Amino acid sequence: MSSFNSQYVKRALFTASLGIVFTGLSACGEPVEKMEPATVLETSTVAAQATVPEIISQAEAKYAEAAALSHAWTTTRTLIEQARAALEAGDAGKARALAEQALATAVASVEQAGVEAQAWQSRVPQ
Amino acid sequence: MKSLSLLFLVLIISVPNAFADPEADRLALRAVYEKRFPDVPLDAHADGAYALDEAKREQWLEMEDFPPYEFTVDDGEVFYDTPFANGASYADCLGPDAPVVKQHYPRFDAASGEVVTLEQTLNNCRLENGEEALDYLSDELVAVTAYIAYQSRGAKIDIVIPDDPRALAAYEGGKQFFYERRGQLNFACSNCHIQMAGHMLRAERLSASLGQVTHWPAYRFKWEEVGPLHRRFARCNVQVRAEPFAQQSDVYRNLEYFMTYMSNGMELNGPSSRK
């Protein structure tokens, strides 16, 4: 289960990095800060016995935590909606995978808020 | 000797803290673009991406022959000139230079301790005169700001950050937001509009952040209407998969305060058209 889940998250990450394509990246000779999608946890943080509704509410709580820090991702909200829809449609396996993904992105968004609370200063031109 | 070093110490302590020196920030940002685009005069960035892409600029100038925001400006003038039920009008809330006032917004309001935008000032004016507040994306509010922007063309942005810790905190909040990576794609505004400015992102040429606020509201062909700056902010948040904020939220007002201060001294050239 957890290896299936980690594949899912990796796939989500891969699509994310394709989402934005720059051309002519190397044109300027200045040191360029790396453009990488945020790292999303690759292993499941979800207890094996947690039910799908429980995972969804954990994801929602983390999403709210990220929102309070101005760092919520649309990704999380979409995944939560999709997990709910899958649950209603009776596809428990899909619902579980989506809910775990939602939680993983929510955890990553809170981590991003933590890192960025300091990291932004390194980007201010001096 | 002792008194000299004491004087030195006092001087050091009284120098404003490096994280709260807007003017130093502004000069440093200008220096970045000067170095990056030595052939582009800084004031030219008021045209956004069209300052950095000759082919797109030509298309754009052709479009501006029949400006798509013209009707909105005309509508705005009618709204602006039409008195409220109590006989007062927008002009009564904008001071003696009305309608040439856009260069002073957003401004820090000592009474509320917050940054106040032109849009909010117009809505507050309505409330004070017994009218209902308008939606920030409504035709009327957008049109009145378009008319004021048009009348304010050529005025130089003159944002003041008073010596008030709350004003500096608002500025710092906007600055932090601008330089923080966000969204699943993990981009800061600065990644695209400083670091990558001038490069292509898919089919679009990335504008410099300097001058990004000079020309709002703008007619966007994608929107098929004139829309405010905060709507563009929301779009730039969503494209990196970050949740956007409400129009006129404190987050976006502080961001506007920071960005507009960075463009101090530049001429207003709104409204404008954009892809």
Side-chain angles (χ1 to χ4, degrees), chain A residues 19 24 33-34 63 77 123, chain B residues 179 181 195 199 202 243:
Chain A
E33 201 193 0
K34 270 200 182 158
Y63 172 83
R77 184 169 38 80
R123 292 179 206 112
Chain B
Y179 289 107
R181 287 171 179 266
Q195 198 181 348
H199 292 283
R202 304 203 191 94
E243 287 289 10

Side-chain angles (χ1 to χ4, degrees), chain B residues 82-270:
Chain B
T82 308
F84 303 135
N86 73 353
S89 70
Y90 290 116
D92 297 321
C93 303
L94 295 173
D97 298 328
V100 184
V101 295
K102 184 152 168 72
Q103 66 275 25
H104 302 300
Y105 289 92
R107 56 177 204 83
F108 179 76
D109 175 53
S112 64
E114 291 193 13
V115 169
V116 176
T117 60
L118 178 60
E119 286 86 343
Q120 284 180 315
T121 304
L122 295 171
N123 250 348
N124 289 341
C125 182
R126 296 179 59 84
L127 291 171
E128 283 159 20
N129 287 292
E131 301 287 323
E132 284 188 5
L134 296 171
D135 188 288
Y136 287 113
L137 295 175
S138 65
D139 289 347
E140 174 164 349
L141 200 67
V142 170
V144 175
T145 61
Y147 172 68
I148 291 173
Y150 186 75
Q151 291 294 321
S152 305
R153 274 188 179 184
K156 289 188 172 159
I157 296 179
D158 184 17
I159 301 305
V160 178
I161 299 177
D163 190 10
D164 180 323
R166 298 168 304 171
L168 276 174
Y171 168 87
E172 278 293 301
K175 177 175 157 187
Q176 176 170 350
F177 190 88
F178 186 85
Y179 289 107
E180 264 184 332
R181 287 171 179 266
R182 45 179 24 89
Q184 187 185 15
L185 300 190
N186 209 28
F187 277 80
C189 312
S190 62
N191 286 140
C192 281
H193 292 299
I194 296 182
Q195 198 181 348
M196 300 305 305
H199 292 283
M200 298 296 282
L201 173 57
R202 304 203 191 94
E204 297 192 88
R205 178 78 61 189
L206 285 164
S207 56
S209 64
L210 190 73
Q212 267 184 339
V213 296
T214 58
H215 48 268
W216 294 86
Y219 181 97
R220 273 198 82 196
F221 286 86
K222 212 168 261 170
W223 297 338
E224 296 184 329
E225 61 183 354
V226 177
L229 178 64
H230 291 193
R231 190 170 168 193
R232 178 72 239 194
F233 287 170
R235 179 66 213 134
C236 278
N237 278 152
V238 168
Q239 71 180 344
V240 297
R241 301 188 195 159
E243 287 289 10
F245 296 81
Q247 299 290 309
Q248 302 300 324
S249 55
D250 56 348
V251 172
Y252 282 170
R253 279 182 285 125
N254 292 346
L255 177 62
E256 184 181 342
Y257 194 43
F258 163 73
M259 289 180 70
T260 313
Y261 186 87
M262 290 298 101
S263 292
N264 251 359
M266 295 181 78
E267 276 187 18
L268 292 172
N269 58 345

Side-chain angles (χ1 to χ4, degrees), chain A residues 4-76:
Chain A
F4 169 73
N5 179 56
S6 103
Q7 250 183 355
Y8 223 112
V9 173
K10 270 186 198 150
R11 183 140 27 102
L13 257 179
F14 180 58
T15 1
S17 61
L18 287 182
I20 289 217
V21 179
F22 287 109
T23 49
L25 263 178
S26 56
C28 57
E30 296 162 37
V32 170
E33 201 193 0
K34 270 200 182 158
M35 308 278 186
E36 283 172 351
T39 5
V40 176
L41 279 184
E42 294 207 356
T43 49
S44 176
T45 48
V46 180
Q49 71 276 18
T51 65
V52 175
E54 281 166 359
I55 305 170
I56 290 178
S57 42
Q58 283 180 45
E60 280 171 336
K62 273 286 167 197
Y63 172 83
E65 194 180 329
L69 298 165
S70 305
H71 271 272
W73 297 358
T74 54
T75 326
T76 309

